């Protein structure tokens, strides 16, 4: 029989140790995100009278969220990925991931993408972000689409309508497994999750000269705070490129 901790047995000291544990186990903003979700559960328990007080009050995960810790795909690696095919690959997953690499969409948004979100005449993608829906006045995002992306999306097939899903994706876990298998077959030695497509998009367009305000708008950020980590990543890439040159012996 498993041991369970009763709600009122959860102490502030226990939560401090929990936050410390998360920071040793999670990468980047993962620890902070997990703690925030746990805090919501605890606050709900307090509101419903299940817990007498909030043991999470004042407990934080100290994370430098201005540093991009996840791997990103360079434009050369993206091309290498697109050139790679293998038996039993999932075309919908492949196309959706490529679409995210070129639009910066999150998985939760691309899985719900419908043909009605595409303005074919003006070559525009317009959708409301699931993450900020109902919480931000800037939850709607508009992204220009080139001919290649329009071709990738296509149009409703026979029996479909404009409200049909574009990619019809399986679960997030299944999609991530497919992407990891694909990345490995392409010979790319990086830990690539689905969200890395969003990071790769931001870093690559910054590298190509886009300004930070444009990138923030394309990513649907309400301000520049969350976008600044990508400029720091680009600066690091440039520094690494310079340092890769042969040493000067004057």
């Amino acid at each position: 029989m498993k041991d369970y901790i009763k709600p009122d047995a959860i102490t502030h000291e226990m939560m401090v140790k929990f936050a410390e544990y998360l920071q040793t186990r999670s990468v980047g903003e993962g620890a902070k995100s997990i703690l925030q979700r746990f805090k919501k559960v605890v606050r709900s328990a307090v509101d419903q009278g299940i817990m007498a007080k909030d043991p999470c009050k004042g407990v934080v995960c100290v994370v430098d969220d201005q540093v991009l810790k996840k791997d990103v795909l360079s434009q050369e690696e993206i091309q290498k990925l697109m050139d790679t095919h293998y038996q039993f690959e999932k075309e919908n997953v492949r196309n959706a991931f490529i679409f995210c690499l070129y639009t910066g969409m999150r998985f939760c948004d691309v899985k719900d993408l419908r043909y009605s979100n595409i303005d074919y005449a003006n070559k525009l993608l317009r959708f409301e972000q699931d993450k900020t829906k109902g919480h931000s006045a800037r939850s709607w995002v508009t992204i220009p689409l080139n001919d290649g992306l329009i071709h990738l999306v296509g149009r409703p097939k026979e029996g479909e309508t404009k409200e049909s899903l574009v990619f019809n994706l399986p679960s997030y876990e299944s999609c991530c497994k497919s992407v990891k298998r694909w990345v490995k077959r392409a010979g790319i030695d990086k830990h690539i999750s689905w969200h890395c497509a969003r990071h790769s998009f931001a870093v690559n367009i910054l590298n190509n000269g886009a300004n930070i305000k444009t990138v923030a708008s394309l990513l649907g950020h309400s301000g520049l705070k969350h976008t600044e980590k990508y400029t720091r990543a680009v600066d690091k890439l440039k520094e690494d490129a310079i340092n890769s040159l042969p040493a000067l012996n004057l």
Side-chain angles (χ1 to χ4, degrees):
M1 183 176 177
K2 293 183 178 179
D3 293 327
Y4 293 96
I5 302 174
K6 293 183 178 180
D8 283 336
I10 301 175
T11 65
H12 178 77
E13 291 73 20
M14 192 183 294
M15 290 300 94
V16 171
K17 290 182 179 180
F18 179 52
E20 292 172 350
Y21 168 77
L22 289 176
Q23 290 183 129
T24 63
R25 300 287 294 179
S26 300
V27 178
E29 298 180 35
K32 183 178 178 181
S33 178
I34 293 169
L35 184 62
Q36 285 175 337
R37 290 191 182 100
F38 188 79
K39 282 183 172 183
K40 287 182 181 179
V41 174
V42 170
R43 282 197 296 270
S44 178
V46 172
D47 291 341
Q48 295 177 50
I50 298 172
M51 299 179 72
K53 59 181 181 180
D54 186 353
C56 296
K57 193 171 183 180
V59 179
V60 296
C61 278
V62 181
V63 177
D64 185 356
D65 55 10
Q66 293 304 297
V67 176
L68 182 61
K69 296 185 178 181
K70 292 184 180 294
D71 283 337
V72 297
L73 292 166
S74 67
Q75 289 181 307
E76 292 76 15
E77 288 170 330
I78 291 173
Q79 186 59 55
K80 190 175 181 181
L81 200 60
M82 291 192 295
D83 290 340
T84 301
H85 291 273
Y86 61 94
Q87 193 176 18
F88 305 124
E89 67 180 10
K90 296 179 179 178
E91 186 178 3
N92 272 2
V93 175
R94 174 190 174 88
N95 291 344
F97 190 72
I98 292 172
F99 194 75
C100 289
L101 283 167
Y102 281 87
T103 61
M105 290 184 78
R106 299 181 181 90
F107 179 82
C108 59
D109 293 320
V110 78
K111 75 177 177 63
D112 290 333
L113 184 67
R114 301 177 188 278
Y115 292 105
S116 57
N117 293 120
I118 311 294
D119 179 346
Y120 291 92
N122 294 303
K123 297 182 180 178
L124 293 174
L125 164 65
R126 191 167 186 269
F127 66 97
E128 187 174 17
Q129 299 176 94
D130 183 71
K131 185 176 181 180
T132 57
K133 189 183 298 182
H135 303 290
S136 172
R138 299 184 181 181
S139 61
W140 281 90
V141 180
T142 300
I143 301 174
L145 301 176
N146 58 31
D147 290 337
L149 290 173
I150 291 289
H151 178 74
L152 185 68
V153 171
R155 292 178 181 269
K157 304 172 185 63
E158 187 177 349
E160 294 181 330
T161 69
K162 66 178 184 179
E163 293 305 320
S164 297
L165 294 172
V166 173
F167 295 113
N168 257 320
L169 297 172
S171 68
Y172 176 76
E173 291 74 17
S174 176
C175 286
C176 282
K177 285 180 181 177
S178 294
V179 168
K180 287 179 181 179
R181 191 179 303 116
W182 183 18
V183 169
K184 185 176 181 180
R185 294 290 180 91
I188 299 170
D189 186 21
K190 288 183 176 180
H191 179 73
I192 301 298
S193 66
W194 196 284
H195 205 63
C196 291
R198 181 172 172 85
H199 296 318
S200 301
F201 167 76
V203 169
N204 284 324
I205 59 175
L206 278 168
N207 255 332
N208 287 337
N211 64 63
I212 189 171
K213 288 186 177 180
T214 300
V215 177
S217 176
L218 290 170
L219 292 176
H221 289 165
S222 57
L224 300 182
K225 178 184 175 182
H226 296 295
T227 320
E228 287 172 352
K229 64 184 175 185
Y230 297 116
T231 63
R232 289 174 63 177
V234 168
D235 290 341
K236 180 66 168 58
L237 288 172
K238 290 178 179 177
E239 181 183 339
D240 290 344
I242 293 298
N243 290 338
S244 69
L245 294 172
L248 277 174
N249 295 313
L250 299 175

